[in-house]
Amino acid sequence: MRLPLPCNKVLATYVWIDGSGINMRSKDKILHCVPYSADQVPPWAFDGSSTGQATTDNSDTILKPAYVYRDPFRCDPHVLIMCEVYQGDGQPAATNNRKYCNDLCNYHAAEEPWFGLEQEYTMLDMDGWGLGWPKGGGFPSFKYQFSYCGVGAKYVVGRDITEGHGKACLYAGIDFEGTNAEVMHASWEWQIGTSVGIKGADDLWMSRYIMARVAEDFGVDITYHPKPMGLLHPGIGMHHNFSTKRMRSDGGFKFIEECIKKLEANHMKHMKKYGNDETTNRMRLSGKFETAPFDKFSWGVASRKASIRLQRHVKEKGKGFLEDRRPAGDCDPYLVCGLLMETCLGPAAS
Ligand code: ADP
Ligand code: MN
Ligand code: MN
Ligand code: MN
Ligand code: MN
């Protein structure tokens, strides 16, 4: 693995979201110089019929480079390339929501949308049961609350993975912000942010790819399922923190309130797209385990039982950001960030 390569050979890993809308794929191409931005990376094709993105008789599917990261596995000068997927006819593939989000980011650039994303996840052993959970379908013997930000082998498991993931994300150039053990045993969270425009969602997807690669080395499966261990156990979400220049400026609280009213009016439109599968996010948003019910919009200051939470200092300072607690762990941040901009700021003109 340490063999030196000729200096004009750069390994580029093209990364994309497959037809499932949550799993990722990658394949490698040798470039002859280091690309510093996506427009220096050539488009590439793949067999979309093997990823649920095309039919066998019309399978050539296009990878369009979107963002270049440093490769934390091979190190410099090698790169990871986050890509968008296009069908042979030039249309975005069904699970390519980046174009939708990017169009809104460009259209509303003067509003300076910022995002902070809190990705929760669960580590599973290769038998599909929670990592470190008693074998044969057993449950942890202690209360959940001990795992949240917990320490000690009894309460947390898989710290090597979160540690490796965090360092790899920072090396790659991701806006990696922090990490903590979550309430349910074998579940954790990392945060991306505070990021400007499309970079938050790009970074979140690349950080999911890096997590899959790090966990691969440990023989651990990572799931973003919103309710992986059943109804009696906590759920897995991805809170989206969102602000614009107006929200962050003096008097911004009034605009935050206006946005909350619009979000309330569009509640079900958002809920339909806030997870990879509406039914599993419905299981998570039960009104229990620090969630608001799926069908009922609510907001509150410092409330973890509301759809939208405002941190106490936002109310005190009269400006800041809002936290949308509704998205499932397996949501597409391109869709959620896009919807937040569309509903609060208006659609992008075509
Ligand atoms: P909690 O778990 O209490 O919700 P976290 O610290 O996990 O809090 O997440 C808070 C998130 O809010 C971070 O991802 C951060 O980037 C984001 N954030 C902070 N300020 C802003 C802002 N002005 N606009 C958008 N997001 C913000
Ligand atoms: Mn081939
Ligand atoms: Mn958090
Ligand atoms: Mn959390
Ligand atoms: Mn949160």
Side-chain angles (χ1 to χ4, degrees):
M1 298 301 278
R2 285 193 296 272
L3 280 177
L5 298 181
C7 63
N8 64 338
K9 304 290 181 191
V10 175
L11 285 89
T13 301
Y14 285 58
V15 175
W16 72 99
I17 303 158
D18 76 9
S20 71
I22 182 66
N23 293 325
M24 305 185 78
R25 310 279 178 127
S26 66
K27 62 173 189 161
D28 292 359
K29 186 183 189 67
I30 312 303
L31 305 180
H32 300 285
C33 63
V34 181
Y36 290 100
S37 63
D39 55 16
Q40 297 174 346
V41 185
W44 203 10
F46 69 99
D47 169 13
S49 71
S50 299
T51 63
Q53 292 172 296
T55 51
T56 320
D57 55 356
N58 186 15
S59 63
D60 288 359
T61 310
I62 310 301
L63 294 173
K64 184 181 168 216
Y67 204 90
V68 179
Y69 296 90
R70 294 167 73 200
D71 181 341
F73 303 102
R74 296 176 175 132
C75 301
D76 294 334
H78 310 296
V79 289
L80 305 178
I81 314 289
M82 187 66 211
C83 297
E84 279 187 39
V85 178
Y86 285 84
Q87 298 170 173
D89 64 4
Q91 290 299 112
T95 55
N96 175 3
N97 296 306
R98 187 181 189 276
K99 188 180 181 314
Y100 163 74
C101 189
N102 200 35
D103 287 350
L104 281 152
C105 286
N106 290 333
Y107 189 71
H108 293 299
E111 300 270 5
E112 296 176 14
W114 291 2
F115 296 97
L117 312 176
E118 306 171 54
Q119 174 73 74
E120 296 179 340
Y121 62 103
T122 309
M123 297 177 182
L124 303 178
D125 214 335
M126 291 318 292
D127 59 9
W129 196 238
L131 188 68
W133 286 48
K135 289 296 167 197
F139 298 96
S141 57
F142 50 87
K143 288 205 169 110
Y144 303 121
Q145 286 83 347
F146 292 115
S147 287
Y148 174 73
C149 300
V151 285
K154 183 174 174 187
Y155 301 124
V156 295
V157 62
R159 193 185 296 277
D160 285 355
I161 296 172
T162 74
E163 195 74 8
H165 175 252
K167 288 190 177 169
C169 285
L170 289 168
Y171 181 93
I174 285 169
D175 294 335
F176 184 88
E177 222 187 346
T179 181
N180 60 269
E182 265 303 335
V183 178
M184 186 170 74
H185 193 46
S187 68
W188 296 77
E189 169 179 315
W190 79 84
Q191 299 101 29
I192 300 293
T194 306
S195 303
V196 178
I198 193 78
K199 188 158 193 289
D202 278 344
D203 283 11
L204 193 284
W205 273 111
M206 186 53 85
S207 66
R208 278 178 175 171
Y209 176 80
I210 290 173
M211 176 52 88
R213 288 281 307 269
V214 170
E216 213 177 79
D217 286 354
F218 292 83
V220 167
D221 182 35
I222 301 296
T223 178
Y224 302 101
H225 191 287
K227 208 70 174 165
M229 307 309 286
L231 292 175
L232 299 177
H233 299 272
I236 297 296
M238 197 209 300
H239 300 161
H240 277 56
N241 300 273
F242 170 55
S243 69
T244 66
K245 197 176 177 180
R246 275 169 79 189
M247 296 184 194
R248 296 187 296 268
S249 305
D250 286 344
F253 198 82
K254 199 169 155 286
F255 183 56
I256 293 175
E257 281 180 319
E258 282 171 33
C259 289
I260 289 174
K261 285 207 186 80
K262 289 180 187 164
L263 290 168
E264 177 163 29
N266 288 279
H267 179 61
M268 285 322 279
K269 176 182 165 189
H270 283 239
M271 294 315 296
K272 292 215 173 309
K273 296 184 174 174
Y274 266 20
N276 191 250
D277 171 6
E278 193 184 320
T279 53
T280 51
N281 199 27
R282 192 177 272 281
M283 288 162 68
R284 165 181 163 257
L285 295 176
S286 60
K288 297 186 187 126
F289 298 110
E290 303 189 347
T291 67
F294 186 94
D295 295 299
K296 197 171 164 294
F297 182 91
S298 60
W299 73 279
V301 175
S303 172
R304 286 184 158 77
K305 294 182 81 173
S307 315
I308 303 283
R309 158 177 162 246
L310 303 183
Q311 295 195 4
R312 190 162 282 118
H313 68 80
V314 174
K315 171 98 185 167
E316 284 163 5
K317 290 186 187 146
K319 59 183 174 185
F321 64 100
L322 59 84
E323 178 191 39
D324 190 343
R325 300 174 63 82
R326 298 171 294 173
D330 61 0
C331 72
D332 180 348
Y334 290 134
L335 258 185
V336 178
C337 294
L339 278 163
L340 284 169
M341 287 183 282
E342 190 175 73
T343 298
C344 297
L345 306 175
S350 50

